[in-house]
Amino acid sequence: MNSPDLADSDNVADAITRILPALKEFYQFQGPDLAAVRSTDWKSKLTTPLPQSGQGIDAVIDDLVHTIIPNGLRNGHPGFCGWVTTSPTSSGTAAHVAAAVAGSARFWVQAFNYLETLSLSWLKELLGLPSSWQGTYTSGGSSANLIGLGAARQWAIEQMGVDPSMTGIPDGARFHIYASKEVHHVVNRAAAVLGIGRRNVVSLPTDHAHRVDLSHLEARLKQDAKNGIRPLALVATAGTVNVGAIDPINDMADLAANYGAWLHVDGAYGLFGKLDPRVAHLFEGLHRADSAAADPHKWLAAPLGNGVAFVRDASILGRAFTLEPAAYLEGSASQDGVIKSPFDDFGEVYHDFNLDQSAPSRGVSVWAILKEIGADGIRDRVVRHNSYARLVAELVRQNPVLEVVTEPVLSICCFRYNDGQKSQDELNELNARIAATLRSESQFVPSTTVVNGTYAIRPCYINPRVRETDVRGLVNRVAELGIEMN
Ligand SMILES: Cc1ncc(COP(=O)(O)O)c(C=O)c1O
């Protein structure tokens, strides 16, 4: 094949092969992480005027191998336990690369399209969701929550006899979304984008375990009903980003039923936590929800850009998100229903269920991960990570200069240095310095948060590479640094 184009497209496998040694070396995570320290250097190498004539693929490979990959993001390092992120494992990555080449869109009658559907049904089974629910892959938890709440908006306004996807929100109608103050801010943003408004997300207090306070929730629903404000959705978070709390889903399902509201579960981080038998009961009532979000790019360690929204009723989801038939799309399918070419049909249709028309094949990565290690392998990971958080709590309790800030529910345990000699402000400042030093040392990298005014070090275990020695090492190092920096 001789392409008339200047871009090489005949040697894709060769190009990938040429960057593999650099990727292999990157995953050894040797030495300290110097990407930020060296940023002046690599930015100056990369900063050039727009090339008017191309420098060729060799120049691209050279930059990738020598400048870009070695200065990439080390969030897969075994000592990394920050935020809710990690880098992908091998089978999902191989599948991702395969999709970039051989399944570059999820449309049409081809294997990657089918794997979207198959892997979504595997995920439903894994999570114990009814098989009748409609799933759809998204770019992550932000859009999965937006899609769940978009379906809620469709449903709530249809109750008024109006189709909001056609005519918008009826004049004068007021809606509230109810969530605990611990809800992820993507929910507030979804409310903004959906025209409900950030201020109409009622931020409810939490109980001692950082779960939504049910009595406040019910009181607010009652008060709003009296004032003619409709409940658009209750949002239960299954694994809050700060501490991993799980809202009482079953009780919220009761309230949703009593007050005529949609129940959405944000499980972007924690829904896979349900696989741990020690905490599975906390997810009771999940099957009563109307929609749920989960992120394979978090605990499943799929390549980033992999979220999923599930909605009980496919028809509501379809009415909210349909692209509407177009001559160049549906109109170009086989007229007699006979499929002889992949392009005779769009295959399992996903562009009517979410925000993207063109979208990458994401299901293949989830399929690969589940095929490789199965439900047992994911359960094993989740249980191991939840145990790590419990180990942190135990080690912290054994150390007189450390203090548990939040008890683990899932795989997060917030703790801090506290020798009992300092004010709250001094402790907050000292723990922030400890965290900054940990990040610069790059051997153990947790993130931090603030819980009721207490600055805390927040390891969150979703990274498959973390070993028990990394967990013990982090706790020891925090104690050592606290003593040294005192
Ligand atoms: C509970 C929760 N919801 C939503 C999100 C947003 O997900 P994403 O970053 O994939 O958009 C996160 C991310 O950490 C989360 O923890």
Side-chain angles (χ1 to χ4, degrees):
M1 278 187 289
N2 274 329
S3 165
D5 200 273
L6 285 177
D8 181 292
S9 48
D10 298 334
N11 302 295
V12 172
D14 180 50
I16 294 172
T17 307
R18 289 167 67 193
I19 64 168
L20 291 182
L23 291 178
K24 204 166 184 175
E25 191 176 335
F26 177 79
Y27 259 175
Q28 311 208 329
F29 304 118
Q30 275 166 356
D33 183 351
L34 297 175
V37 177
R38 295 189 296 224
S39 65
T40 316
D41 185 30
W42 51 257
K43 276 186 193 167
S44 77
K45 278 195 189 135
L46 294 173
T47 308
T48 66
L50 165 70
Q52 294 302 324
S53 47
Q55 295 163 19
I57 191 162
D58 289 348
V60 173
I61 302 273
D62 194 58
D63 276 356
L64 281 169
V65 167
H66 296 110
T67 311
I68 300 172
I69 294 171
N71 292 300
L73 182 68
R74 287 200 189 184
N75 60 346
H77 184 292
F80 181 89
C81 53
W83 298 275
V84 198
T85 182
T86 185
S87 65
T89 52
S90 311
S91 69
T93 308
H96 189 72
V97 174
V101 176
S104 60
R106 64 180 166 191
F107 293 130
W108 293 299
V109 184
Q110 43 107 3
F112 291 87
N113 173 266
Y114 176 66
L115 288 179
E116 301 280 291
T117 308
L118 180 67
S119 61
L120 284 168
S121 74
W122 283 4
L123 284 178
K124 283 185 272 186
E125 192 179 332
L126 185 71
L127 292 166
L129 294 171
S131 58
S132 54
W133 286 24
Q134 179 65 52
T136 184
Y137 281 106
T138 68
S139 57
S142 304
S143 44
N145 280 297
L146 178 65
I147 285 165
L149 290 170
R153 172 187 184 269
Q154 182 72 24
W155 174 83
I157 297 174
E158 283 182 0
Q159 307 298 299
M160 303 170 68
V162 174
D163 179 350
S165 80
M166 293 296 165
T167 52
I169 300 176
D171 286 347
R174 287 196 61 198
F175 295 94
H176 277 168
I177 292 172
Y178 302 82
S180 95
K181 67 183 178 60
E182 292 292 310
V183 76
H184 199 286
H185 289 174
V186 298
V187 166
N188 304 64
R189 183 175 56 191
V193 172
L194 291 167
I196 302 302
R198 291 175 198 260
R199 290 204 187 129
N200 291 314
V201 179
V202 177
S203 175
L204 293 153
T206 49
D207 65 12
H208 64 283
H210 308 279
R211 297 167 303 202
V212 72
D213 181 314
L214 287 168
S215 56
H216 274 87
L217 171 57
E218 178 148 34
R220 191 60 197 261
L221 283 162
K222 245 186 217 148
Q223 182 196 328
D224 284 353
K226 268 195 209 136
N227 294 331
I229 302 173
R230 294 163 195 268
L232 188 111
L234 310 189
V235 178
T237 305
T240 59
V241 69
N242 277 326
V243 305
I246 301 170
D247 283 332
I249 302 172
N250 210 26
D251 295 321
M252 291 178 79
D254 289 341
L255 286 175
N258 292 346
Y259 287 85
W262 180 278
L263 177 64
H264 174 72
V265 176
D266 176 9
Y269 154 44
L271 211 59
F272 295 102
K274 187 169 179 254
L275 297 178
D276 183 342
R278 292 170 295 183
V279 291
H281 63 282
L282 299 176
F283 295 83
E284 198 192 329
L286 177 61
H287 66 285
R288 297 174 65 198
D290 298 291
S291 56
D295 261 356
H297 69 204
K298 295 189 165 70
W299 230 335
L300 290 197
L304 200 82
N306 201 318
V308 59
F310 295 105
V311 174
R312 167 186 301 283
D313 185 333
S315 68
I316 295 172
L317 185 61
R319 289 198 293 282
F321 288 100
T322 181
L323 199 54
E324 298 193 90
Y328 91 105
L329 282 177
E330 286 79 357
S332 73
S334 156
Q335 300 304 302
D336 56 11
V338 178
I339 309 295
K340 290 191 189 141
S341 148
F343 303 103
D344 280 342
D345 191 79
F346 279 88
E348 303 272 356
V349 170
Y350 289 99
H351 54 269
D352 278 337
F353 290 130
N354 62 37
L355 299 165
D356 298 318
Q357 175 182 275
S358 302
S361 302
R362 298 182 172 104
V364 65
S365 296
V366 171
W367 165 84
I369 292 162
L370 293 176
K371 185 174 170 78
E372 180 194 3
I373 64 171
D376 286 346
I378 302 296
R379 189 176 301 106
D380 179 69
R381 181 185 300 166
V382 166
V383 168
R384 184 171 70 253
H385 287 162
N386 288 350
S387 297
Y388 284 167
R390 283 151 185 75
L391 176 62
V392 170
E394 197 184 309
L395 296 170
V396 166
R397 266 193 282 274
Q398 287 164 9
N399 193 321
V401 297
L402 299 178
E403 180 188 16
V404 173
V405 175
T406 62
E407 291 295 338
V409 177
L410 295 172
S411 61
I412 298 174
C413 176
C414 296
F415 70 104
R416 67 172 175 174
Y417 177 85
N418 182 2
D419 57 8
Q421 315 278 318
K422 294 182 184 53
S423 69
Q424 176 77 340
D425 284 351
E426 286 168 339
L427 286 172
N428 285 354
E429 186 270 337
L430 175 58
N431 279 282
R433 279 194 290 128
I434 293 172
T437 307
L438 285 169
R439 287 195 298 272
S440 69
E441 289 179 347
S442 75
Q443 196 187 353
F444 308 110
V445 180
S447 53
T448 62
T449 192
V450 176
V451 183
N452 299 329
T454 296
Y455 188 98
I457 299 191
R458 175 196 165 280
C460 169
Y461 296 105
I462 59 157
N463 176 358
R465 299 166 188 80
V466 178
R467 303 149 301 189
E468 191 180 313
T469 48
D470 301 301
V471 177
R472 291 180 180 274
L474 169 69
V475 176
N476 288 342
R477 192 69 191 126
V478 170
E480 273 170 18
L481 285 173
I483 292 166
E484 276 169 32
M485 298 168 83
N486 219 327

